[in-house]
Amino acid sequence: MPQVTTLTFFRYPDFRGKLWAFWMMQFAHAPLSRTKGLQLYKLMGSGKSGFNPFPDWSVYALLQLWDSEEDAHAFFEKSKLMRRYRKRSSEQWTLFMKNITAKGAWGGQNPFEVTAGLDEANPIISVITRATIKPGLLWKFWRHVPSSQQPLEGNKGLIFTKGIGEAPFMQMATFSIWKDKKALMDFAYRSKGHQEAIKKTRELNWYKEELFSRFQPYKSIGTWNGRQVLEELL
């Protein structure tokens, strides 16, 4: 069966929930490591809006790679761990995705398997861009990079975006969803701010490790900000 990727966002509105979510960044590893059909997972926090390096303590994310969609559904529907997450969080949203392409490494490997037989009638593309920043270049990175995200503001082709990562400041990723490939390409190759960021990346070589992966989202479960983000489009 083809590999399936899921990304789940959890929202915690109060202090007790935020504290529990932070605590689970350490203590969720044991039950996740025993989950049937789970190839790899990443417990992640999130950053404030606008590609801000400072944490958003109200939102956490769980990225998972599965042997099959059946294994993923079994986890979300029957897992005691997921029941605890649902009980503690005020909102949850899970996106099911098939990998289109992946370049680079995450933790020394590229874990994403390209999926054959994508749905040609589904134009939506989601993207994970992840990097580990060299410690000596942190200041320069965060000084230059936010300007590359300015073209995202009011971008009609952008459906959703959120900064996520395993550790603040150093291990960061951007997750975004686009209406189609053209919208993504217009941002990546035609926006001045993003092109300047690419130029600086080549000049300064500020990544210790980086990965760029595109996906085809095909199922959306739950809500975010009170709305079903992709239900109408899918």
Side-chain angles (χ1 to χ4, degrees):
M1 291 185 179
Q3 181 191 72
V4 171
T5 300
T6 61
L7 179 59
T8 305
F9 289 94
F10 303 94
R11 190 187 304 283
Y12 302 89
D14 55 37
F15 176 76
R16 291 182 65 184
K18 295 172 185 176
L19 187 62
W20 182 86
F22 181 77
W23 181 73
M24 290 302 289
M25 290 286 284
Q26 174 63 34
F27 293 100
H29 289 289
L32 284 170
S33 65
R34 296 191 296 266
T35 300
K36 179 181 179 295
L38 183 58
Q39 299 176 2
L40 180 142
Y41 68 88
K42 298 290 183 181
L43 289 159
M44 296 180 287
S46 73
K48 294 182 178 180
S49 60
F51 206 69
N52 191 312
F54 292 98
D56 176 358
W57 300 109
S58 66
V59 175
Y60 285 78
L62 174 60
L63 177 70
Q64 296 167 286
L65 279 67
W66 301 95
D67 288 337
S68 68
E69 185 175 330
E70 289 75 13
D71 288 324
H73 280 298
F75 172 79
F76 290 117
E77 295 169 6
K78 302 176 182 178
S79 165
K80 292 181 180 179
L81 179 65
M82 275 305 299
R83 284 201 293 269
R84 295 176 68 192
Y85 270 101
R86 290 193 186 98
K87 182 179 179 180
R88 296 282 185 168
S89 57
S90 62
E91 195 171 27
Q92 314 89 33
W93 174 41
T94 298
L95 194 63
F96 285 71
M97 304 179 289
K98 299 175 183 178
N99 186 257
I100 299 172
T101 182
K103 298 178 181 179
W106 191 332
Q109 63 174 325
N110 186 335
F112 299 109
E113 299 172 6
V114 176
T115 305
L118 297 169
D119 182 2
E120 295 184 1
N122 178 3
I124 304 171
I125 291 181
S126 56
V127 178
I128 294 177
T129 304
R130 187 265 180 188
T132 298
I133 307 161
K134 294 177 181 178
L137 295 173
L138 282 172
W139 183 83
K140 287 184 178 180
F141 176 84
W142 287 111
R143 179 187 174 192
H144 289 287
V145 169
S147 62
S148 71
Q149 305 301 300
Q150 289 178 358
L152 292 175
E153 297 180 10
N155 192 311
K156 295 181 179 180
L158 180 67
I159 299 172
F160 174 85
T161 186
K162 184 67 173 174
I164 53 179
E166 302 109 295
F169 301 102
M170 290 189 64
Q171 293 181 321
M172 301 296 294
T174 299
F175 176 72
S176 57
I177 306 175
W178 301 83
K179 289 184 177 180
D180 51 35
K181 184 177 179 179
K182 181 181 182 301
L184 172 61
M185 293 296 99
D186 284 346
F187 166 72
Y189 298 108
R190 296 184 182 179
S191 63
K192 184 178 180 181
H194 193 259
Q195 283 297 299
E196 182 65 23
I198 293 173
K199 180 181 178 182
K200 287 292 182 182
T201 299
R202 292 170 179 166
E203 290 177 357
L204 300 176
N205 190 28
W206 47 37
Y207 296 144
K208 181 180 179 181
E209 182 181 64
E210 60 181 319
L211 179 140
F212 177 81
S213 188
R214 295 181 192 171
F215 303 85
Q216 183 180 77
Y218 68 94
K219 185 181 294 185
S220 176
I221 298 175
T223 65
W224 200 248
N225 291 323
R227 50 186 291 265
Q228 296 174 329
V229 181
L230 293 181
E231 187 174 89
E232 294 182 3
L233 294 174
L234 292 173

